[in-house]
Amino acid sequence: MPHSPEEKKKVLTRVRRIRGQTEALERALEQGTDCLPVLQQIAAIRGAVNGLMSEVIESHMREQFSSAAPSQAQRQARVAEMTALLRSYLK
């Protein structure tokens, strides 16, 4: 999770933008909009979510790996946690 006020503001702005996009998608579906604009909106939402995920992962990695872990076991645990997160994201 981004901890600095600037990073937090950026992430919240992205989340609000995504909310607006999903609300627009919902309206389009309710109105029976043609498939092409609906698909374009879905692609835009996917891109926005991917961008959000990228920012949060980057922040998490900086936080976790900017300081040395006290032990080899803790380093391995950090790497395992990050690997699991990336695998779930890439599914």
Side-chain angles (χ1 to χ4, degrees):
M1 175 65 193
H3 295 285
S4 75
E6 300 83 28
E7 286 181 333
K8 188 174 182 179
K9 183 178 179 181
K10 260 177 66 173
V11 167
L12 287 172
T13 299
R14 276 185 177 266
V15 168
R16 290 179 183 120
R17 189 176 313 127
I18 292 167
R19 182 184 318 132
Q21 289 175 310
T22 58
E23 289 170 354
L25 174 61
E26 182 179 8
R27 285 190 301 275
L29 292 171
E30 287 173 346
Q31 295 169 359
T33 303
D34 290 335
C35 288
L36 184 59
V38 168
L39 290 170
Q40 289 172 331
Q41 186 65 27
I42 293 169
I45 292 168
R46 182 180 61 187
V49 169
N50 285 341
L52 172 64
M53 184 70 164
S54 176
E55 280 189 34
V56 175
I57 285 174
E58 182 180 335
S59 175
H60 180 71
M61 287 177 66
R62 274 196 309 268
E63 180 182 306
Q64 289 297 309
F65 298 109
S66 64
S67 62
S71 70
Q72 178 68 18
Q74 287 179 329
R75 282 191 296 277
Q76 290 174 340
R78 286 180 181 179
V79 170
E81 176 188 77
M82 203 65 228
T83 301
L85 176 66
L86 289 172
R87 282 191 180 136
S88 70
Y89 171 63
L90 295 172
K91 282 187 180 182

